[in-house]
Amino acid sequence: MKLIVVVIRGANTRFMPAYGNSWIQLPNLSVLSARGLTLDYYFASSWNEIDIRQAWLGDSWFGDKKPERDLSEILSSAGWNLAFLSDHQNECPTEFQKAFAFQNVIPGASENPLLLHSAMEKNEAYLSEKNALIWIETDFLLPPWKVSEEFLSPFVEELHDYLLDKEEVEEGAEMPVPILNPKEEGLESNDLNFLARQSGLAAAWSQMDDFVGAIVASAQEKFKEGEFAILVTSDHGLAIG
């Protein structure tokens, strides 16, 4: 059994068709949602990343009481391989990352998430016949968004078509383009700036969807149905504590 967990840091469910978005196409995530289980509500007891990671490993959600063994210890004792793959360096709390026997950080993958897919296919835990937990984390949806032209172009056209249809831009004026770095562009509250930032993030989501599709296709090619499971989540839910 291969359990593949994909953590998309900074993901906002409002951009996903499964949660009601009708203007952005994410075919791979949509198929996963249709064929699997989609959580309508995702609650977290804290915004603190360390607390969230403790909960991921099986720690107590509330209070200070901790189990005798966390998830990594239980799986390891049962003969599972545990692999951690990410595109961010020195951000993941040491205690969390230490739980995984196989670790691979690919900084360049923050510009191209498919590098994480390639690393997964070469990972010893993934290739082994043993059961394995493959934990993949990506910062790709955190700005600045490094989106390739292949995924950016459709949103440039869509933004321009929308503005022309709504007559939001005066004749002869320069057309705005999707903003990929909101910090550089500023956060002034006007409609054009908002739409440009929204289009930039949507393009990043489109490229992220392609990455998830590659993960699924790889698992389907290598393993039979029932021999793998894929879980896609974010690093934050709705804080209630």
Side-chain angles (χ1 to χ4, degrees), residues 7 11 23 54 65 76 95 98 101 121 123 130 141 151 159 163 165 168 178 185 194 215 220 235:
V7 179
W23 66 275
Q54 285 179 341
K65 185 178 180 181
S76 295
E95 289 302 316
K98 281 197 317 186
E121 290 193 311
N123 188 274
K130 288 185 176 182
L141 287 188
F151 297 96
L159 178 62
L163 294 176
D165 181 61
E168 294 284 346
E185 297 293 336
F194 172 78
I215 294 285
Q220 288 177 328
D235 55 343

Side-chain angles (χ1 to χ4, degrees), residues 212-229:
V212 172
I215 294 285
V216 174
S218 174
Q220 288 177 328
E221 182 178 345
K222 186 169 178 58
F223 310 110
K224 296 178 182 179
E225 187 173 348
E227 292 182 350
F228 72 94

Side-chain angles (χ1 to χ4, degrees), residues 72 151 193-194 201 221 238:
S72 64
F151 297 96
N193 190 277
F194 172 78
L201 179 53
E221 182 178 345
L238 174 63

Side-chain angles (χ1 to χ4, degrees), residues 9 49-50 53-54 56-57 70 72 76 81-107 133 135-137:
R9 303 181 76 202
E49 184 176 2
I50 294 178
R53 290 185 182 278
Q54 285 179 341
W56 276 342
L57 286 180
D70 64 24
S72 64
S76 295
N81 284 328
L82 277 67
F84 177 87
L85 307 173
S86 76
D87 57 14
H88 52 271
Q89 210 163 17
N90 302 324
E91 289 186 22
C92 180
T94 305
E95 289 302 316
F96 182 84
Q97 196 165 329
K98 281 197 317 186
F100 298 84
F102 302 94
Q103 301 178 23
N104 193 358
V105 177
I106 309 101
L133 169 63
W135 191 281
I136 303 173
E137 293 192 11

Side-chain angles (χ1 to χ4, degrees), residues 140-141 145 147 155 180 199-209:
F140 188 74
L141 287 188
W145 304 301
V147 184
F155 288 93
L180 299 180
S199 295
L201 179 53
W205 262 108
S206 181
Q207 189 161 335
M208 177 56 62
D209 182 74

Side-chain angles (χ1 to χ4, degrees), residues 37-137:
L37 175 67
T38 301
L39 299 182
D40 292 327
Y41 298 98
Y42 176 42
F43 295 105
S45 59
S46 171
W47 285 110
N48 185 290
E49 184 176 2
I50 294 178
D51 292 342
I52 292 171
R53 290 185 182 278
Q54 285 179 341
W56 276 342
L57 286 180
D59 205 342
S60 175
W61 284 89
F62 299 99
D64 298 325
K65 185 178 180 181
K66 297 183 179 181
E68 294 181 2
R69 296 191 301 170
D70 64 24
L71 178 63
S72 64
E73 293 171 327
I74 294 171
L75 292 178
S76 295
S77 65
W80 282 54
N81 284 328
L82 277 67
F84 177 87
L85 307 173
S86 76
D87 57 14
H88 52 271
Q89 210 163 17
N90 302 324
E91 289 186 22
C92 180
T94 305
E95 289 302 316
F96 182 84
Q97 196 165 329
K98 281 197 317 186
F100 298 84
F102 302 94
Q103 301 178 23
N104 193 358
V105 177
I106 309 101
S110 60
E111 300 180 12
N112 180 5
L114 284 178
L115 292 178
L116 279 173
H117 162 249
S118 299
M120 181 197 74
E121 290 193 311
K122 299 173 184 176
N123 188 274
E124 186 175 339
Y126 186 74
L127 296 174
S128 171
E129 294 183 358
K130 288 185 176 182
N131 294 326
L133 169 63
I134 314 294
W135 191 281
I136 303 173
E137 293 192 11

